[in-house]
Amino acid sequence: TSGGIGKTSIVYDLAIRLSMKGYKVCAFDGCFNNNSLSLKFNTKHPKDLKEWIVGDFDEEYILNKVSSKLSFVKTNIFQFDYFRHIKLIKSYIEKISENFDYVLIDYNEGDKKSHEIVLALNEICVLTGDDKESVLKLHRLRKKFLFYNNINLFNVVVNKANLIGQIYGKNFTQEEIENIETSNT
């Protein structure tokens, strides 16, 4: 989900906190050509995944080290078509996953071409709003992603819930969201 619900900030904060607890974490910016996560790390001259895709460097080289426990992968070369290499990117994620306790991927569900990345995951946490459109999109997304056998856990975080909208009946309550999510799965 995209559009100001705090997804990138939560992924960034989670990466920082997990690494501070001693876990090895890689934050992967899956918002190709439109990175926000990578910019939050404020690293001078970060290396980009493109360098590995075109064969210039190995997997380790493009892991931008923030600390001994935290790295990130940037995917922000404007004129580069990351989507054309989505299967290769999936294999990259699988390969680096062997060296990290967590690989957190900031990903926009709207990028249909990058759904291949989901096949490299075993857990999904979707951030969404509580409006009707977001909840219905969440339901469709959950059904689609749970079709893949590799996904063991599907979590939902409703961020920036609109309590005023709930009072006037324009937004879903937690119970209504749960009822929609558990129906027809």
Side-chain angles (χ1 to χ4, degrees):
T1 305
S2 63
I5 59 169
K7 173 182 58 68
T8 298
S9 295
I10 289 173
V11 170
Y12 174 77
D13 191 50
L14 184 59
I16 297 288
R17 290 173 186 259
L18 286 169
S19 69
M20 289 172 55
K21 289 194 176 269
Y23 294 104
K24 285 192 71 177
V25 179
C26 179
F28 186 96
D29 208 323
C31 300
F32 305 132
N33 309 109
N34 190 20
N35 288 185
S36 295
L37 179 63
S38 297
L39 296 175
K40 287 186 173 284
F41 289 106
N42 201 20
T43 303
K44 290 186 180 195
H45 311 295
K47 299 155 209 89
D48 195 281
L49 181 64
K50 174 192 178 249
E51 301 305 319
W52 177 77
I53 291 172
V54 298
D56 290 344
F57 298 99
D58 66 12
E59 296 90 15
E60 290 291 317
Y61 179 80
I62 60 158
L63 289 172
N64 297 288
K65 300 251 186 246
V66 177
S67 70
S68 63
K69 298 289 184 178
L70 179 60
S71 299
F72 70 93
V73 176
K74 176 181 164 251
T75 58
N76 205 34
I77 302 297
F78 181 68
Q79 295 294 330
F80 189 73
D81 185 2
Y82 294 93
F83 296 109
R84 197 172 120 218
H85 305 281
I86 203 70
K87 287 185 188 305
L88 192 57
I89 293 170
K90 175 190 167 259
S91 71
Y92 177 80
I93 293 169
E94 290 170 337
K95 185 159 183 69
I96 65 168
S97 293
E98 298 169 7
N99 301 319
F100 290 95
D101 298 310
Y102 294 95
V103 176
L104 306 175
I105 302 173
D106 188 10
Y107 164 76
N108 284 327
E109 183 274 329
D111 295 334
K112 304 288 187 225
K113 295 178 189 174
S114 58
H115 281 224
E116 182 82 22
I117 289 175
V118 173
L119 298 176
L121 307 177
N122 61 16
E123 183 175 336
I124 292 178
C125 183
V126 177
L127 279 87
T128 187
D130 62 348
D131 59 282
K132 182 177 182 179
E133 182 182 335
S134 294
V135 172
L136 293 175
K137 185 188 290 184
L138 169 67
H139 180 62
R140 288 189 303 270
L141 183 66
R142 182 174 185 264
K143 284 175 70 172
K144 180 190 315 180
F145 287 165
L146 287 179
F147 174 77
Y148 301 114
N149 292 332
N150 58 301
I151 298 173
N152 301 320
L153 198 55
F154 188 96
N155 297 301
V156 175
V157 174
V158 178
N159 199 30
K160 297 186 179 180
N162 185 347
L163 299 178
I164 301 301
Q166 288 179 7
I167 292 170
Y168 293 107
K170 297 176 184 170
N171 295 69
F172 289 102
T173 65
Q174 178 181 346
E175 184 178 336
E176 290 170 322
I177 292 171
E178 290 170 358
N179 287 339
I180 289 172
E181 276 306 293
T182 56
S183 68
N184 300 323
T185 50

